[in-house]
Amino acid sequence: MVLCQCCGFIFHSALILFYSFLQDNKLWFRGGTPRSGPLRHSSLDFDDEPSADSPTSLRSSVSGSLSIASTKRASDSELAAGEKQVKLRHVILGQLQTQLRLSTAQRRVRIPTSAAQHVYSERTFFEAPLPIRGAAPIKLPLPLPQLGKQWGLAKLLTTIGPDTLMLTLQLLLLERSILVLGESQEDVTTCCRALLELLKPFDWPSTFMPVLPYSMLDFVHSPVPFVAGIAAEGPERLDLVENDERVLEAMTIGMSLMNISTGTLLITSERGIAEKLVLDPFLQEKLGHLKNRLQSLVAEESSTLRSFEKFISSGVSPRECVTLRSVSSIIKEKWTSLAGDIALVRNGWRRCGKLSKRHSPGSFNFFPDRFIDPLRAQLDFQEAMVTTQLFVGYVDARRRQQLRSHQMKGGLAGIYIANWVWVKWRTKKRRENEIIDQ
């Protein structure tokens, strides 16, 4: 599946370049060159028609015959040139289908699993010449750029911010609809995809429409939860969608509106929903640091996150990739903790339900109380425990431990350890390079 998507992505990119070349070279016209207007020939003025015996009438008849003949020859020539261009396009498309194939080594390229692999592994590119005169060869990074996990997540962090992002994800976890609004089609669709990716380990079970035309805006009254996106060019069109009666009515029954152009989130006015949304202060701190790091990386002129075309052709830098990967991992860890023992223990799901033998074999009945009751009991115990001297002493011990850690990092011992690790790592890399050269 991944290989098919990779090949499809490469072929689609080549087709875009191919059709752009055709438009630039005006090959869409039948004769290879556009016509400024319809073919014209001399015609008679019937208001002042000369007599058939007059010399003027004879000259006009001859002129008209010659004009019709020349028009016919031009049409035949234009038709032949058009057939030639059609054959040329078919030949080029056939060559694209045969040349745009991954090699055996390229098929084995996988997404790095650790931060170190992202930073130190050598980047691989797929390169293939296009059978078009004057066209640059196609070049794409391997593995291919991840639209949702990279471009979409970067847009969400830099436009709406981590706090608004977490509130949006909590609305989705409660199965409330989200309408994503923006000015750019690629930003809207990739942000919609990023929202679904950030729900892991959970999977969105309902409707997903990353491209919703304005003519289908009645869809916001859907009785089932949805994630949809609308691209509207210009502030006036954005305001038109936000203030539409259908959108305002849908926001009273569960839908929230996220505008990535203005960085705002309009939460549904459905009773009891806003009160359930909470922000974890520790998670806010972590995501805030990662957002600042990403903004500093995007501010660099070499960053591909400044242009969608550069992102597709080159992918993100290793440091940007590690930062975005850290954001996804932190959010996934947070949502995984909501599942408790179901996520931590392999057969933890058995404690929250019962296998049914009356119905089809393997059917399972889930009882929410069996999952919630132990959590409530543990919360009551923790509420009593935090007032004890035992717990206060543990908090103070953790505080002193962090102070000693900071003193070591800034002291002579920390500098000595850092220098030692640097020398060892540099020696190892030098030996690896010598082995590769041999």
Side-chain angles (χ1 to χ4, degrees):
M1 179 64 69
V2 175
L3 179 60
C4 293
Q5 293 177 352
C6 181
C7 295
F9 184 90
I10 294 173
F11 184 68
H12 179 69
S13 302
L15 286 181
I16 294 176
L17 295 175
F18 172 55
Y19 290 126
S20 300
F21 174 81
L22 293 180
Q23 288 179 333
D24 294 339
N25 290 271
K26 302 177 182 179
L27 297 182
W28 293 113
F29 301 91
R30 194 186 320 187
T33 56
R35 294 197 305 253
S36 58
L39 290 176
R40 299 178 179 178
H41 56 83
S42 301
S43 59
L44 300 179
D45 189 356
F46 292 96
D47 293 336
D48 188 18
E49 184 177 358
S51 61
D53 298 333
S54 64
T56 304
S57 175
L58 182 60
R59 287 195 300 268
S60 299
S61 300
V62 173
S63 176
S65 300
L66 293 176
S67 178
I68 293 174
S70 62
T71 301
K72 186 176 183 304
R73 287 196 300 269
S75 300
D76 294 340
S77 176
E78 186 178 354
L79 181 61
E83 293 177 353
K84 183 179 180 181
Q85 295 297 337
V86 170
K87 293 180 180 179
L88 177 61
R89 288 197 289 266
H90 283 290
V91 170
I92 294 176
L93 288 175
Q95 293 179 356
L96 290 177
Q97 292 177 342
T98 57
Q99 293 182 9
L100 299 182
R101 296 180 182 274
L102 296 177
S103 63
T104 304
Q106 291 171 340
R107 294 177 185 178
R108 297 175 181 174
V109 176
R110 295 291 182 268
I111 298 176
T113 57
S114 64
Q117 291 180 353
H118 275 288
V119 176
Y120 300 115
S121 60
E122 295 183 0
R123 303 193 67 183
T124 305
F125 287 87
F126 171 83
E127 296 186 50
L130 294 178
I132 303 174
R133 182 180 301 175
I138 184 173
K139 182 178 180 181
L140 295 172
L142 294 178
L144 295 174
Q146 299 174 293
L147 298 179
K149 293 182 179 180
Q150 294 178 347
W151 180 267
L153 177 55
K155 280 295 176 182
L156 290 174
L157 283 177
T158 55
T159 55
I160 66 173
D163 293 348
T164 305
L165 175 60
M166 294 305 297
L167 293 176
T168 305
L169 294 176
Q170 290 183 42
L171 288 168
L172 291 177
L173 291 176
L174 296 176
E175 292 190 346
R176 293 302 184 271
S177 301
I178 297 293
L179 180 64
V180 180
L181 183 62
E183 299 185 30
S184 173
Q185 190 82 348
E186 57 266 20
D187 290 346
V188 171
T189 54
T190 54
C191 286
C192 288
R193 183 59 192 171
L195 291 176
L196 268 59
E197 294 287 348
L198 294 174
L199 292 180
K200 301 297 182 181
F202 306 104
D203 295 324
W204 180 249
S206 193
T207 307
F208 176 61
M209 291 188 64
V211 180
L212 180 66
Y214 182 76
S215 59
M216 297 178 58
L217 194 57
D218 291 333
F219 176 79
V220 297
H221 293 296
S222 172
V224 297
F226 63 85
V227 176
I230 294 182
E233 298 181 359
E236 296 181 357
R237 292 183 176 271
L238 292 176
D239 294 338
L240 181 65
V241 176
E242 284 189 354
N243 299 321
D244 192 284
E245 294 182 357
R246 294 166 290 183
V247 174
L248 297 177
E249 183 180 355
M251 292 184 62
T252 63
I253 56 176
M255 190 194 79
S256 299
L257 177 65
M258 183 176 67
N259 191 330
I260 58 177
S261 296
T262 59
T264 57
L265 173 66
L266 302 178
I267 300 177
T268 176
S269 57
E270 182 183 358
R271 179 179 299 179
I273 295 299
E275 292 77 7
K276 296 179 181 179
L277 305 179
V278 293
L279 291 175
D280 187 345
F282 298 102
L283 191 63
Q284 285 181 277
E285 183 180 358
K286 291 180 180 179
L287 294 179
H289 291 317
L290 292 174
K291 175 194 173 183
N292 295 334
R293 182 192 302 175
L294 180 64
Q295 286 181 331
S296 63
L297 295 174
V298 174
E300 299 177 0
E301 295 183 359
S302 60
S303 175
T304 58
L305 292 175
R306 300 164 64 96
S307 170
F308 187 74
E309 289 76 11
K310 292 182 179 180
F311 167 77
I312 292 296
S313 61
S314 302
V316 295
S317 66
R319 292 187 297 171
E320 292 171 339
C321 187
V322 170
T323 303
L324 295 172
R325 185 183 181 89
S326 299
V327 173
S328 300
S329 300
I330 291 174
I331 296 177
K332 182 179 180 180
E333 183 180 353
K334 173 64 178 180
W335 301 151
T336 303
S337 65
L338 297 178
D341 292 341
I342 298 178
L344 300 177
V345 183
R346 185 174 183 179
N347 60 348
W349 56 272
R350 291 179 176 270
R351 306 175 187 176
C352 304
K354 183 179 180 181
L355 290 172
S356 177
K357 298 181 180 179
R358 297 181 181 179
H359 304 287
S360 60
S363 61
F364 179 76
N365 296 325
F366 174 70
F367 301 107
D369 290 341
R370 293 190 180 184
F371 177 75
I372 293 297
D373 289 343
L375 297 178
R376 289 174 177 167
Q378 182 180 1
L379 183 60
D380 293 339
F381 177 79
Q382 287 178 327
E383 187 176 358
M385 179 183 173
V386 295
T387 59
T388 63
Q389 186 64 32
L390 182 105
F391 192 84
V392 174
Y394 174 75
V395 174
D396 187 65
R398 292 286 295 175
R399 181 186 65 85
R400 287 185 277 107
Q401 181 180 3
Q402 185 178 8
L403 288 176
R404 289 196 300 268
S405 177
H406 283 300
Q407 292 174 357
M408 282 191 61
K409 291 180 180 178
L412 296 177
I415 297 175
Y416 176 80
I417 294 175
N419 291 334
W420 181 84
V421 172
W422 165 250
V423 172
K424 292 295 183 180
W425 177 85
R426 186 174 58 181
T427 303
K428 179 182 178 182
K429 296 298 293 184
R430 185 185 297 113
R431 291 176 180 176
E432 291 178 354
N433 294 333
E434 292 176 354
I435 294 175
I436 294 175
D437 295 338
Q438 293 177 356

